[in-house]
Amino acid sequence: MQSDGRKSPIHGCYKISSKCSCASPILAAIHCFVKATASDDFKLDAFEEACGVGVEVSAEEIEQAVNEVFEENKNLILEKRYRTNVGELLGHVRKRHPWADPKSVKQFVDAKLYDLLGERTAADNEKTSKKKKDKPTEVEVKMVAVVTPEQQSEEELNPFLIFPRPEENFKVHTEVFFSDGSVLRCCNTKELLEKHLYATGGKVLTRFPPEPNGYLHIGHAKAMFIDFGLTKDRAGGCYLRYDDTNPQAEKKEYINHIEEIVHWMGWEPLKITYTSDYFQDLYDLAVELIRRGHAYVDHQTPDEIKEYREKKMNSPWRDRPVAESLKLFDDMRKGLIEEGKATLRMKQDMQSDNYNMYDLIAYRIKFTPHPHAGDKWCIYPSYDYAHCIVDSLENITHSLCTLEFETRRASYYWLLHALGLYQPYVWEYSRLNVTNMVMSKRKLNRLVTDKWVDGWDDPRLMTLAGLRRRGVTSTSINAFVRGVGITRSDNSTINLDRLEYHIREELNKTVPRAMVVLYPLKVVITNLEAGSIIDLDAKKWPEAQSDDASAFYKVPFSNTVYIERSDFRMKDSKDYYGLAPGKSVLLRYAFPIKCTEVILADDKETILEIRAEYDPSKKTKPKGVLHWVAERSPGVDPLRVEVRLFDKLFLSENPAELDDWLADLNPQSKVVISSAYAVHLLKNAVVGDRFQFERLGYFVLDRDSIPEKLVFNRTVTLRDSYSKGGK
């Protein structure tokens, strides 16, 4: 702005022109006044610079500053949530950019607060009481963000500051909060809260609610870590609740597997329940919902329901009389209506912007016996109807689920409000996806059913049963989940390398070493008498002390040993540490050997045998060190084992995004080596025993093993730095 030289009628000030570029009206007035009255000695340029004349702060710069301020004050913000002093945050940003537009700064700060904290809870709106209260005993915890493995502490176990404690969450509320017809957060009457708190004793109760229609995968490991971990931190309990509302997809096999795998993962349910345990309660509440005018029996086909929803049109039967819906629902219950000819739908809001408020189905007819409830029922509740009600009936304090269920929160609270039931606190977090794998149960079921893999526990799958069979420990899975952290970012695809890091970290400390040769190449030691056996000590552990006999195992050294075929070349090179004609290597725990002759097949290319001499004095100091296996006794081959090498199941990092995702399967995801040679130490291994095969990776004895032939699955390779070249 610029002064036009005319005085304002107020205080004789100069009027301001719209051409001035000052950062604020006050500075603009000062600038124009000084410009109009400046003497020759006044340094106008310096004054304009100090006032921010011409300075423009971009939206990107403001956003970056806001992100920096939030990162610096993250713990305080998470603790105080919406009671955080926003003015102080604005002040920190303005210190970085004094001339930034205050309105834009406020918008970015508000948006960042929402991204970090989500919707305001009822506790956020409570006024802070001035009366001092005794602070509840708190367990010292840390908020988990995405941390690198190097930053992760083994002590860091239960990161749940993001969830309100009972005394923060369960205040008395008599109002119901709506926005565009959707309930945004839990709000309970005094009577409901008192009844709830009496039932729970003020303890935190969660539930882990898997649907028994398949095996659990690594995404469920994150859900368990949150559901069980929260209650462990807060001295509460977590229900294992089977969400068994679809008898056509459920099997007793899946139910048994889920209970077993929950215990294997280290969690102890407070109680094991089934949604089907509440079928009578759910039915009675559905009748009550009809009586209150909030549900109706509908006869539209699935295609018609889809079309009407897309057009936001009411069903032709939406306004049928309550008495008529009650009669028809009773007929559905008695099996008098054919399957697919009627459903019970909730009368929600067909004009909402939320698709999950478009009169969701509460009950459908299925003439299928239930694996847990038997043949008592021929109508079954939907997830959208049953889930929130059973949460309420079980007095769950925190209903935690992944972000794809966020849009269902409105329906969740709508139904509980319509029935006058207690409302738990709902919070959503990002689901866990891992690269080079599909995680949807539908796709996993397709892989199993169409025999692209060898069952739900195929070691190539990210099912927890598959990971266990592959030799992965539950503690390393939990460490991986803990390291990934809990966020509301919907971009949570984690690189498989990160999981492998945690697997190696544990196995490297806990499993013994052994020597196995995958592709044996015969080496005859010409200067060792045939039939001679030298007993040597090999280390099970790198730091083994000589006085600890249990840390060693015996290996025979004879005139016939076997090395990896890849550890021999006909032509040597400076960067090669394996064996070559005229070159020496050290056989680990044994002696240096030098290749003196190569026996070729008739094709003059295939290597049949290596002749070598060993150095019994060990004065030779070669750079290369090779693993090896020798004959157990003269003329007796080493222990023969089968080894299965597993790799990524899919070639692409995100196969689920591909139209033809099955075409992306990795043809080399499973390689079977039927005749590997192993040291005798492995002969007495039992299923589940884990070993590090030196220079090859970590392996576990598979359940397919028989005494005559042991089968080992590769869990994970060694670090890349351990397996370069042929060293």
Side-chain angles (χ1 to χ4, degrees), residues 486-512:
I486 306 168
T487 71
R488 282 178 55 83
S489 170
D490 204 17
N491 184 20
S492 189
T493 299
I494 308 301
N495 197 293
L496 180 60
D497 292 345
R498 184 159 186 169
L499 172 60
E500 292 180 346
Y501 166 86
H502 288 283
I503 297 170
R504 291 189 188 98
E505 278 293 288
E506 178 170 344
L507 296 182
N508 184 52
K509 301 173 184 176
T510 58
V511 303

mmCIF file of all heavy atoms in Angstrom, residues 486-512:
data_model
loop_
_atom_site.group_PDB
_atom_site.id
_atom_site.type_symbol
_atom_site.label_atom_id
_atom_site.label_comp_id
_atom_site.label_asym_id
_atom_site.label_seq_id
_atom_site.Cartn_x
_atom_site.Cartn_y
_atom_site.Cartn_z
ATOM 1 N N ILE A 486 2.591 -47.244 16.041
ATOM 2 C CA ILE A 486 1.143 -47.085 15.895
ATOM 3 C C ILE A 486 0.874 -45.691 15.373
ATOM 4 O O ILE A 486 1.171 -44.702 16.042
ATOM 5 C CB ILE A 486 0.427 -47.288 17.238
ATOM 6 C CG1 ILE A 486 0.820 -48.644 17.848
ATOM 7 C CG2 ILE A 486 -1.081 -47.203 17.066
ATOM 8 C CD1 ILE A 486 0.387 -48.800 19.286
ATOM 9 N N THR A 487 0.336 -45.605 14.190
ATOM 10 C CA THR A 487 0.037 -44.303 13.600
ATOM 11 C C THR A 487 -1.339 -44.345 12.951
ATOM 12 O O THR A 487 -1.957 -45.400 12.837
ATOM 13 C CB THR A 487 1.083 -43.923 12.520
ATOM 14 O OG1 THR A 487 0.890 -44.760 11.365
ATOM 15 C CG2 THR A 487 2.494 -44.116 13.040
ATOM 16 N N ARG A 488 -1.771 -43.188 12.504
ATOM 17 C CA ARG A 488 -3.007 -43.109 11.719
ATOM 18 C C ARG A 488 -2.707 -42.815 10.258
ATOM 19 O O ARG A 488 -3.604 -42.507 9.481
ATOM 20 C CB ARG A 488 -3.926 -42.023 12.302
ATOM 21 C CG ARG A 488 -4.673 -42.471 13.550
ATOM 22 C CD ARG A 488 -5.534 -41.362 14.114
ATOM 23 N NE ARG A 488 -6.461 -40.832 13.137
ATOM 24 C CZ ARG A 488 -7.643 -41.367 12.828
ATOM 25 N NH1 ARG A 488 -8.024 -42.486 13.422
ATOM 26 N NH2 ARG A 488 -8.427 -40.810 11.948
ATOM 27 N N SER A 489 -1.464 -42.953 9.878
ATOM 28 C CA SER A 489 -1.102 -42.786 8.477
ATOM 29 C C SER A 489 -1.574 -44.002 7.700
ATOM 30 O O SER A 489 -1.316 -45.146 8.093
ATOM 31 C CB SER A 489 0.418 -42.640 8.338
ATOM 32 O OG SER A 489 0.789 -42.715 6.984
ATOM 33 N N ASP A 490 -2.266 -43.764 6.593
ATOM 34 C CA ASP A 490 -2.824 -44.873 5.824
ATOM 35 C C ASP A 490 -1.827 -45.413 4.805
ATOM 36 O O ASP A 490 -2.193 -46.115 3.886
ATOM 37 C CB ASP A 490 -4.112 -44.423 5.108
ATOM 38 C CG ASP A 490 -5.020 -45.609 4.794
ATOM 39 O OD1 ASP A 490 -4.812 -46.677 5.389
ATOM 40 O OD2 ASP A 490 -5.928 -45.458 3.954
ATOM 41 N N ASN A 491 -0.575 -45.063 4.965
ATOM 42 C CA ASN A 491 0.466 -45.551 4.052
ATOM 43 C C ASN A 491 1.478 -46.329 4.871
ATOM 44 O O ASN A 491 2.564 -45.874 5.170
ATOM 45 C CB ASN A 491 1.140 -44.382 3.326
ATOM 46 C CG ASN A 491 2.160 -44.854 2.312
ATOM 47 O OD1 ASN A 491 2.116 -46.003 1.874
ATOM 48 N ND2 ASN A 491 3.072 -43.982 1.949
ATOM 49 N N SER A 492 1.064 -47.542 5.261
ATOM 50 C CA SER A 492 1.857 -48.308 6.212
ATOM 51 C C SER A 492 2.343 -49.617 5.614
ATOM 52 O O SER A 492 2.223 -50.670 6.220
ATOM 53 C CB SER A 492 1.026 -48.578 7.480
ATOM 54 O OG SER A 492 1.820 -49.126 8.495
ATOM 55 N N THR A 493 2.868 -49.563 4.388
ATOM 56 C CA THR A 493 3.470 -50.747 3.789
ATOM 57 C C THR A 493 4.941 -50.760 4.158
ATOM 58 O O THR A 493 5.701 -49.870 3.783
ATOM 59 C CB THR A 493 3.302 -50.757 2.258
ATOM 60 O OG1 THR A 493 1.899 -50.764 1.941
ATOM 61 C CG2 THR A 493 3.943 -52.000 1.652
ATOM 62 N N ILE A 494 5.338 -51.760 4.904
ATOM 63 C CA ILE A 494 6.685 -51.828 5.448
ATOM 64 C C ILE A 494 7.520 -52.786 4.609
ATOM 65 O O ILE A 494 7.056 -53.868 4.229
ATOM 66 C CB ILE A 494 6.658 -52.297 6.913
ATOM 67 C CG1 ILE A 494 5.687 -51.435 7.728
ATOM 68 C CG2 ILE A 494 8.055 -52.261 7.513
ATOM 69 C CD1 ILE A 494 6.012 -49.962 7.741
ATOM 70 N N ASN A 495 8.757 -52.393 4.333
ATOM 71 C CA ASN A 495 9.635 -53.233 3.539
ATOM 72 C C ASN A 495 9.939 -54.525 4.284
ATOM 73 O O ASN A 495 10.184 -54.530 5.486
ATOM 74 C CB ASN A 495 10.932 -52.485 3.232
ATOM 75 C CG ASN A 495 11.698 -53.137 2.095
ATOM 76 O OD1 ASN A 495 12.204 -54.256 2.229
ATOM 77 N ND2 ASN A 495 11.785 -52.443 0.976
ATOM 78 N N LEU A 496 9.938 -55.630 3.534
ATOM 79 C CA LEU A 496 10.199 -56.936 4.115
ATOM 80 C C LEU A 496 11.557 -56.976 4.808
ATOM 81 O O LEU A 496 11.745 -57.712 5.789
ATOM 82 C CB LEU A 496 10.132 -58.005 3.016
ATOM 83 C CG LEU A 496 10.373 -59.452 3.433
ATOM 84 C CD1 LEU A 496 9.348 -59.904 4.463
ATOM 85 C CD2 LEU A 496 10.328 -60.364 2.209
ATOM 86 N N ASP A 497 12.507 -56.186 4.332
ATOM 87 C CA ASP A 497 13.845 -56.169 4.942
ATOM 88 C C ASP A 497 13.786 -55.815 6.424
ATOM 89 O O ASP A 497 14.599 -56.282 7.215
ATOM 90 C CB ASP A 497 14.749 -55.157 4.218
ATOM 91 C CG ASP A 497 15.068 -55.597 2.805
ATOM 92 O OD1 ASP A 497 14.838 -56.782 2.497
ATOM 93 O OD2 ASP A 497 15.526 -54.758 2.005
ATOM 94 N N ARG A 498 12.818 -54.997 6.783
ATOM 95 C CA ARG A 498 12.720 -54.565 8.179
ATOM 96 C C ARG A 498 12.318 -55.729 9.082
ATOM 97 O O ARG A 498 12.838 -55.880 10.191
ATOM 98 C CB ARG A 498 11.729 -53.425 8.292
ATOM 99 C CG ARG A 498 11.660 -52.861 9.692
ATOM 100 C CD ARG A 498 11.108 -51.465 9.686
ATOM 101 N NE ARG A 498 11.182 -50.883 11.011
ATOM 102 C CZ ARG A 498 10.973 -49.617 11.270
ATOM 103 N NH1 ARG A 498 10.701 -48.787 10.277
ATOM 104 N NH2 ARG A 498 11.044 -49.148 12.493
ATOM 105 N N LEU A 499 11.387 -56.541 8.611
ATOM 106 C CA LEU A 499 11.012 -57.731 9.372
ATOM 107 C C LEU A 499 12.210 -58.673 9.485
ATOM 108 O O LEU A 499 12.487 -59.226 10.561
ATOM 109 C CB LEU A 499 9.833 -58.440 8.697
ATOM 110 C CG LEU A 499 9.445 -59.807 9.261
ATOM 111 C CD1 LEU A 499 9.040 -59.699 10.726
ATOM 112 C CD2 LEU A 499 8.323 -60.435 8.433
ATOM 113 N N GLU A 500 12.931 -58.852 8.373
ATOM 114 C CA GLU A 500 14.075 -59.757 8.382
ATOM 115 C C GLU A 500 15.160 -59.264 9.342
ATOM 116 O O GLU A 500 15.875 -60.079 9.944
ATOM 117 C CB GLU A 500 14.625 -59.908 6.965
ATOM 118 C CG GLU A 500 13.668 -60.647 6.033
ATOM 119 C CD GLU A 500 14.206 -60.800 4.633
ATOM 120 O OE1 GLU A 500 15.195 -60.111 4.297
ATOM 121 O OE2 GLU A 500 13.647 -61.616 3.872
ATOM 122 N N TYR A 501 15.280 -57.965 9.479
ATOM 123 C CA TYR A 501 16.241 -57.417 10.438
ATOM 124 C C TYR A 501 15.947 -57.930 11.845
ATOM 125 O O TYR A 501 16.846 -58.393 12.562
ATOM 126 C CB TYR A 501 16.201 -55.887 10.418
ATOM 127 C CG TYR A 501 16.905 -55.260 11.600
ATOM 128 C CD1 TYR A 501 18.275 -55.022 11.558
ATOM 129 C CD2 TYR A 501 16.208 -54.940 12.759
ATOM 130 C CE1 TYR A 501 18.931 -54.470 12.654
ATOM 131 C CE2 TYR A 501 16.851 -54.392 13.855
ATOM 132 C CZ TYR A 501 18.212 -54.156 13.796
ATOM 133 O OH TYR A 501 18.850 -53.626 14.880
ATOM 134 N N HIS A 502 14.697 -57.841 12.267
ATOM 135 C CA HIS A 502 14.334 -58.266 13.622
ATOM 136 C C HIS A 502 14.498 -59.776 13.782
ATOM 137 O O HIS A 502 14.858 -60.252 14.872
ATOM 138 C CB HIS A 502 12.900 -57.852 13.930
ATOM 139 C CG HIS A 502 12.730 -56.376 14.129
ATOM 140 N ND1 HIS A 502 13.104 -55.735 15.284
ATOM 141 C CD2 HIS A 502 12.249 -55.410 13.298
ATOM 142 C CE1 HIS A 502 12.847 -54.441 15.181
ATOM 143 N NE2 HIS A 502 12.332 -54.219 13.987
ATOM 144 N N ILE A 503 14.217 -60.521 12.720
ATOM 145 C CA ILE A 503 14.398 -61.978 12.792
ATOM 146 C C ILE A 503 15.868 -62.309 13.017
ATOM 147 O O ILE A 503 16.219 -63.111 13.886
ATOM 148 C CB ILE A 503 13.879 -62.642 11.508
ATOM 149 C CG1 ILE A 503 12.367 -62.408 11.349
ATOM 150 C CG2 ILE A 503 14.181 -64.139 11.510
ATOM 151 C CD1 ILE A 503 11.821 -62.815 9.993
ATOM 152 N N ARG A 504 16.745 -61.685 12.232
ATOM 153 C CA ARG A 504 18.183 -61.945 12.367
ATOM 154 C C ARG A 504 18.698 -61.524 13.740
ATOM 155 O O ARG A 504 19.517 -62.212 14.346
ATOM 156 C CB ARG A 504 18.959 -61.188 11.288
ATOM 157 C CG ARG A 504 18.745 -61.696 9.881
ATOM 158 C CD ARG A 504 19.721 -61.035 8.928
ATOM 159 N NE ARG A 504 19.428 -61.353 7.547
ATOM 160 C CZ ARG A 504 18.743 -60.572 6.723
ATOM 161 N NH1 ARG A 504 18.289 -59.407 7.156
ATOM 162 N NH2 ARG A 504 18.516 -60.938 5.483
ATOM 163 N N GLU A 505 18.220 -60.364 14.214
ATOM 164 C CA GLU A 505 18.689 -59.855 15.490
ATOM 165 C C GLU A 505 18.475 -60.876 16.599
ATOM 166 O O GLU A 505 19.326 -61.054 17.471
ATOM 167 C CB GLU A 505 17.955 -58.561 15.843
ATOM 168 C CG GLU A 505 18.512 -57.330 15.187
ATOM 169 C CD GLU A 505 19.897 -56.989 15.706
ATOM 170 O OE1 GLU A 505 20.015 -56.542 16.850
ATOM 171 O OE2 GLU A 505 20.866 -57.186 14.946
ATOM 172 N N GLU A 506 17.342 -61.556 16.581
ATOM 173 C CA GLU A 506 17.079 -62.542 17.636
ATOM 174 C C GLU A 506 17.812 -63.851 17.377
ATOM 175 O O GLU A 506 18.464 -64.392 18.274
ATOM 176 C CB GLU A 506 15.577 -62.812 17.753
ATOM 177 C CG GLU A 506 15.269 -63.863 18.805
ATOM 178 C CD GLU A 506 13.796 -63.992 19.113
ATOM 179 O OE1 GLU A 506 13.028 -63.086 18.758
ATOM 180 O OE2 GLU A 506 13.423 -65.004 19.729
ATOM 181 N N LEU A 507 17.707 -64.374 16.156
ATOM 182 C CA LEU A 507 18.312 -65.674 15.873
ATOM 183 C C LEU A 507 19.823 -65.643 16.019
ATOM 184 O O LEU A 507 20.433 -66.630 16.427
ATOM 185 C CB LEU A 507 17.922 -66.138 14.468
ATOM 186 C CG LEU A 507 16.425 -66.392 14.243
ATOM 187 C CD1 LEU A 507 16.183 -66.893 12.824
ATOM 188 C CD2 LEU A 507 15.891 -67.392 15.254
ATOM 189 N N ASN A 508 20.430 -64.511 15.697
ATOM 190 C CA ASN A 508 21.881 -64.407 15.808
ATOM 191 C C ASN A 508 22.342 -64.603 17.250
ATOM 192 O O ASN A 508 23.457 -65.080 17.499
ATOM 193 C CB ASN A 508 22.345 -63.041 15.298
ATOM 194 C CG ASN A 508 23.848 -62.897 15.283
ATOM 195 O OD1 ASN A 508 24.562 -63.731 14.728
ATOM 196 N ND2 ASN A 508 24.350 -61.849 15.907
ATOM 197 N N LYS A 509 21.471 -64.258 18.204
ATOM 198 C CA LYS A 509 21.835 -64.373 19.618
ATOM 199 C C LYS A 509 21.393 -65.690 20.243
ATOM 200 O O LYS A 509 21.878 -66.052 21.320
ATOM 201 C CB LYS A 509 21.191 -63.221 20.406
ATOM 202 C CG LYS A 509 21.598 -61.834 19.937
ATOM 203 C CD LYS A 509 20.776 -60.775 20.654
ATOM 204 C CE LYS A 509 21.092 -59.378 20.134
ATOM 205 N NZ LYS A 509 20.219 -58.346 20.755
ATOM 206 N N THR A 510 20.469 -66.396 19.595
ATOM 207 C CA THR A 510 19.820 -67.516 20.286
ATOM 208 C C THR A 510 20.011 -68.883 19.651
ATOM 209 O O THR A 510 19.669 -69.883 20.284
ATOM 210 C CB THR A 510 18.306 -67.253 20.391
ATOM 211 O OG1 THR A 510 17.757 -67.075 19.068
ATOM 212 C CG2 THR A 510 18.033 -66.007 21.226
ATOM 213 N N VAL A 511 20.501 -68.974 18.411
ATOM 214 C CA VAL A 511 20.582 -70.291 17.773
ATOM 215 C C VAL A 511 22.034 -70.708 17.565
ATOM 216 O O VAL A 511 22.894 -69.871 17.293
ATOM 217 C CB VAL A 511 19.822 -70.328 16.435
ATOM 218 C CG1 VAL A 511 18.378 -69.932 16.628
ATOM 219 C CG2 VAL A 511 20.471 -69.427 15.394
ATOM 220 N N PRO A 512 22.321 -72.007 17.691
ATOM 221 C CA PRO A 512 23.694 -72.493 17.505
ATOM 222 C C PRO A 512 24.074 -72.566 16.033
ATOM 223 O O PRO A 512 23.217 -72.602 15.154
ATOM 224 C CB PRO A 512 23.650 -73.890 18.123
ATOM 225 C CG PRO A 512 22.226 -74.329 17.950
ATOM 226 C CD PRO A 512 21.396 -73.084 18.089
#
